[in-house]
């Protein structure tokens, strides 16, 4: 069922990439530039959702889980936020539009092609003053956050990168003293494709208080969930 659906999407994408000589991510950006309102982050988010629900599936957080993300960001009202996994810049734009004046989001992307698309998406949405994109592996960037990027502690962290990095990067955030009492971690895709070791780690740790938000995989009726872990110090 699910695997077949996604496999079909992958094959269709590869064929389209070959014919059009561009990536799906480039097509998403082009669609936004042609159809969204420049400088309007909500319009950019809605236009990406429209493209990905009607034309080509993509691994953005999507609208259903996006509402959980919005609610969490609004509750935390962060001054300093971190996103692991920028992809096309969808969730960076989504988070940035909710940030108060003077707040900033650092978003980390390992893939240089995705980083280039995300940069353009962030700029088009007009949120480049609030968002700084850091290109490279999360395990190298996290230890540099305090000195190089002048982060004291993080109020909010959104994990949406490689699922096998969720646990080691959470441990790294703790070891680097980047979390304070009340810092909130929100992890996407904890059911599909799944991050079972992360769930075990945060749920069994005395340092975190967890809440699970059942939902669906972006743009599909496949069960997924987000996990919120509040750092207790």
């Amino acid at each position: 069922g699910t695997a077949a659906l996604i496999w079909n999407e992958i094959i269709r994408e590869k064929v389209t990439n070959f014919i059009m000589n561009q990536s799906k991510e480039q097509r998403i950006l082009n669609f936004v530039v042609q159809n969204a309102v420049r400088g309007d982050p909500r319009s950019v988010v809605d236009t990406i959702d429209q493209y990905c629900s009607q034309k080509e599936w993509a691994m953005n957080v999507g609208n259903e889980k996006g509402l959980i993300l919005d609610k969490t960001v609004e509750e935390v009202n962060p001054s300093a936020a971190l996103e692991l996994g920028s992809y096309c810049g969808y969730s960076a734009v989504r988070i940035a539009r909710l940030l108060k004046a003077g707040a900033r989001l650092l978003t980390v992307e390992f893939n240089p092609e995705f980083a280039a698309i995300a940069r353009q998406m962030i700029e088009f949405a007009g949120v480049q003053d609030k968002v700084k994109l850091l290109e490279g592996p999360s395990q190298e960037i996290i230890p540099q956050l305090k000195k190089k990027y002048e982060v004291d502690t993080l109020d909010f962290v959104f994990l949406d990168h490689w699922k096998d990095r969720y646990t080691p990067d959470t441990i790294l955030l703790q070891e680097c003293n980047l979390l304070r009492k009340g810092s909130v971690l929100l992890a996407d895709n904890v059911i599909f494709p799944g991050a079972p070791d992360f769930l075990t780690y945060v749920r069994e740790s005395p340092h975190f208080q967890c809440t699970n938000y059942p939902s669906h995989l972006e743009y599909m009726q496949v069960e997924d969930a987000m996990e919120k872990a509040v750092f207790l110090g």
Side-chain angles (χ1 to χ4, degrees), residues 23-203:
S23 69
K24 170 174 68 178
E25 292 73 31
Q26 187 66 51
R27 289 191 291 278
I28 293 171
L29 177 64
N30 293 349
F31 187 80
V32 166
V33 170
Q34 287 156 14
N35 296 281
V37 180
R38 180 182 279 278
D40 181 345
R42 181 75 246 185
S43 168
V44 169
V45 165
D46 289 345
T47 304
I48 298 174
D49 281 335
Q50 183 193 341
Y51 186 85
C52 296
S53 55
Q54 294 171 8
K55 298 182 190 289
E56 287 187 274
W57 182 84
M59 56 180 178
N60 312 304
V61 68
N63 196 40
E64 186 185 353
K65 288 187 293 183
L67 295 174
I68 302 167
L69 175 60
D70 290 356
K71 188 170 179 290
T72 310
V73 172
E74 284 167 343
E75 280 170 7
V76 177
N77 193 18
S79 296
L82 173 69
E83 172 181 54
L84 299 174
S86 318
Y87 187 42
C88 289
Y90 173 94
S91 44
V93 171
R94 191 155 191 141
I95 294 166
R97 81 184 209 288
L98 300 171
L99 293 179
K100 59 191 170 193
R104 64 172 178 158
L105 168 68
L106 299 171
T107 181
V108 178
E109 180 50 59
F110 174 71
N111 180 319
E113 288 174 37
F114 295 169
I117 298 282
R119 267 200 193 92
Q120 295 171 78
M121 195 73 80
I122 288 160
E123 169 112 16
F124 186 84
V127 293
Q128 67 275 17
D129 296 348
K130 290 181 169 180
V131 183
K132 186 171 184 62
L133 193 145
L134 312 176
E135 196 177 316
S138 53
Q139 62 268 35
E140 285 179 19
I141 291 175
I142 289 170
Q144 301 178 335
L145 289 177
K146 276 195 186 277
K147 280 212 167 97
K148 194 171 176 185
Y149 300 104
E150 297 173 347
V151 174
D152 176 22
T153 52
L154 296 160
D155 307 306
F156 176 70
V157 181
F158 183 47
L159 297 95
D160 197 16
H161 58 329
W162 295 106
K163 309 313 152 197
D164 60 1
R165 289 294 326 163
Y166 281 21
T167 308
D169 284 348
T170 299
I171 294 168
L172 200 50
L173 288 167
Q174 289 173 264
E175 286 173 349
C176 296
N177 297 313
L178 284 158
L179 303 180
R180 56 154 177 90
K181 189 177 181 200
S183 292
V184 172
L185 274 57
L186 185 68
D188 190 19
N189 303 117
V190 296
I191 303 297
F192 192 94
D197 60 328
F198 171 78
L199 291 182
T200 301
Y201 175 73
V202 288
R203 287 174 183 178

Side-chain angles (χ1 to χ4, degrees), residues 1-11 192 217 220 222:
T2 304
L5 277 172
I6 290 177
W7 183 241
N8 285 342
E9 284 292 338
I10 290 167
I11 292 173
F192 192 94
L217 183 65
M220 286 195 184
V222 175

